[in-house]
Amino acid sequence: MGGEQSRSNGTAVGVGTSAGVPPGVTTLRPNLQKRFAKGIQYNMKVIIKGDRNVGKTCLFERLQGKPFNSEYNATQEIQVACIQWNYKATDDVVKVEIWDIVDKGKTRKRDGLKLDSEEPAPTLDAEFIDVYKGTSGVIMVLDITKYWTYEYVQREIKKIPLDIPVILIASHRDLEEKRSVLTEEVHSFLRELNRPQDAAAVYYMEASMKDGFGLKYLYRFFNVPYLELQRQTLLAQLRRNEEDLEAIKVELDIHAKTEEQDYEKFKDMLERKKKGLPVSGGLCTVSAGANETAEGSSKTEVMDGSPAMSPRNRLSHQVLEQTPLPSPKA
């Protein structure tokens, strides 16, 4: 059985596959198992905005690997999908959510019994929810053959929070003969935005969903919001590290003044323990044995049996009762 392959419903279960795997289910390759074992490290939300009939949904589907669809169907409410994307050759698991934004959706009717006084069901559109909340990047889309879609961009791009990277896509590049939005005009507008120096960058590209032109550049743009998200995460970890370090310093200063750091009292505690006499409540009992502890083992256990605490709250009740906390340093 070790070197054979069994087939069930056309699915091969090879050597090394876990026993009891249901038919039709395949196991992840070892390298993928290693990556996903750590869970998702980053959640990256990227939204697609633009006026009606510019190709937002077409881009939304192309990012999912679907073929080009020339039919236009108005999107009634916000759509969300996860796409496969990784930053270069890292093992970080990044969940990328793409949101196809609808500024004002069509009102939906409630299911079931209709009442005259009943309000219509809320529509998931930009008027109902804050689409920029938790957003890592924004894709603004205009149609080079429709000038009013460029006017929409001129109005809406100023409403995007300054800390979110933006890429402006001029779509329908394959319809150059019908162009009404000039490339230089867009570049001039972006230069005149006068965004603060510390604001996130705004990029510009031209694309065609029909033949896939520009998609590779867009995938590379995802590196920008990802690295910014990673930087913010690392800075937050660094701040927590600094707080924990300061807490440990205070703890050590307090602990140094307690009976537990008095060697004479510590020896007395060991002698009393050997003789079976009660030990004073301010000292710790030896966890493994008095002799090993006296020789330098630092394995001690708090007498009250309380579970392990974070560095900020690790001071024992005995220390807090016996030693007044010093006033914080300026």
Side-chain angles (χ1 to χ4, degrees):
M1 293 180 62
E4 298 178 355
Q5 287 186 338
S6 62
R7 295 184 180 272
S8 175
N9 296 335
T11 302
V13 181
V15 178
T17 305
S18 301
V21 177
V25 177
T26 57
T27 57
L28 287 174
R29 295 192 301 271
N31 62 326
L32 292 179
Q33 291 181 9
K34 182 179 179 181
R35 281 187 57 198
F36 287 102
K38 299 186 298 181
I40 296 173
Q41 280 80 49
Y42 300 97
N43 287 292
M44 192 167 77
K45 171 186 170 184
V46 179
I47 68 173
I48 305 174
K49 276 187 65 69
D51 211 338
R52 63 189 186 279
N53 197 14
V54 294
K56 298 189 301 294
T57 301
C58 187
L59 172 60
F60 177 73
E61 294 178 348
R62 291 291 266 167
L63 287 174
Q64 298 175 65
K66 297 180 181 180
F68 173 73
N69 184 4
S70 59
E71 294 185 13
Y72 173 71
N73 295 307
T75 305
Q76 303 301 328
E77 60 182 2
I78 294 173
Q79 304 180 91
V80 181
C82 293
I83 66 170
Q84 185 176 358
W85 180 86
N86 292 301
Y87 176 68
K88 296 184 178 180
T90 62
D91 290 333
D92 289 341
V93 179
V94 185
K95 179 185 177 183
V96 182
E97 284 186 356
I98 304 297
W99 290 43
D100 181 11
I101 302 300
V102 175
D103 288 339
K104 185 173 179 58
K106 186 177 180 181
T107 303
R108 296 182 299 166
K109 296 181 179 179
R110 293 184 182 272
D111 297 331
L113 183 63
K114 183 178 179 181
L115 302 176
D116 294 338
S117 60
E118 190 176 39
E119 296 182 356
T123 304
L124 294 179
D125 56 22
E127 293 185 351
F128 183 72
I129 62 174
D130 180 6
V131 297
Y132 293 118
K133 185 177 181 180
T135 296
S136 302
V138 176
I139 302 172
M140 291 287 290
V141 185
L142 65 88
D143 185 344
I144 64 172
T145 67
K146 302 180 179 72
Y147 196 84
W148 46 268
T149 66
Y150 172 56
E151 294 174 338
Y152 172 93
V153 169
Q154 291 177 306
R155 295 192 308 270
E156 295 297 321
I157 200 170
K158 299 174 183 178
K159 301 178 183 178
I160 301 175
L162 295 174
D163 61 333
I164 301 178
V166 181
I167 185 166
L168 176 57
I169 298 181
S171 66
H172 295 83
R173 183 63 177 79
D174 53 296
L175 301 177
E176 179 65 24
E177 67 279 2
K178 298 181 180 179
R179 177 190 283 268
S180 61
V181 181
L182 301 179
T183 303
E184 183 53 40
E185 185 178 3
V186 179
H187 282 302
S188 177
F189 165 72
L190 295 179
R191 286 194 297 267
E192 294 173 0
L193 278 178
N194 294 324
R195 291 165 65 91
Q197 189 173 3
D198 58 346
V202 178
Y203 300 85
Y204 173 77
M205 62 170 287
E206 298 187 350
S208 168
M209 296 302 104
K210 183 177 181 180
D211 51 26
F213 172 71
L215 287 177
K216 189 173 182 179
Y217 184 89
L218 180 57
Y219 269 94
R220 290 188 176 182
F221 164 77
F222 288 163
N223 294 335
V224 177
Y226 164 73
L227 290 174
E228 180 61 29
L229 179 62
Q230 185 186 60
R231 187 180 72 88
Q232 293 174 3
T233 303
L234 294 175
L235 287 175
Q237 292 176 350
L238 181 59
R239 287 192 295 269
R240 288 194 296 269
N241 177 274
E242 292 174 349
E243 292 172 1
D244 290 345
L245 182 58
E246 291 301 318
I248 288 295
K249 291 178 180 178
V250 173
E251 179 183 346
L252 290 174
D253 290 342
I254 296 174
H255 197 78
K257 302 173 184 178
T258 64
E259 293 182 356
E260 295 181 14
Q261 293 302 110
D262 189 320
Y263 184 64
E264 296 301 326
K265 293 182 179 180
F266 182 77
K267 287 198 304 179
D268 180 66
M269 181 270 292
L270 293 180
E271 291 297 326
R272 296 177 67 85
K273 184 174 179 64
K274 288 180 181 179
K275 296 176 182 180
L277 299 175
V279 181
S280 61
L283 294 175
C284 294
T285 58
V286 181
S287 60
N291 293 333
E292 292 182 2
T293 306
E295 292 173 359
S297 174
S298 61
K299 299 179 180 178
T300 59
E301 179 179 349
V302 179
M303 290 185 62
D304 62 2
S306 59
M309 299 182 181
S310 66
R312 297 187 183 92
N313 303 313
R314 202 177 294 154
L315 296 179
S316 64
H317 295 295
Q318 292 88 348
V319 173
L320 292 176
E321 291 175 358
Q322 296 172 11
T323 308
L325 292 173
S327 58
K329 297 180 180 179

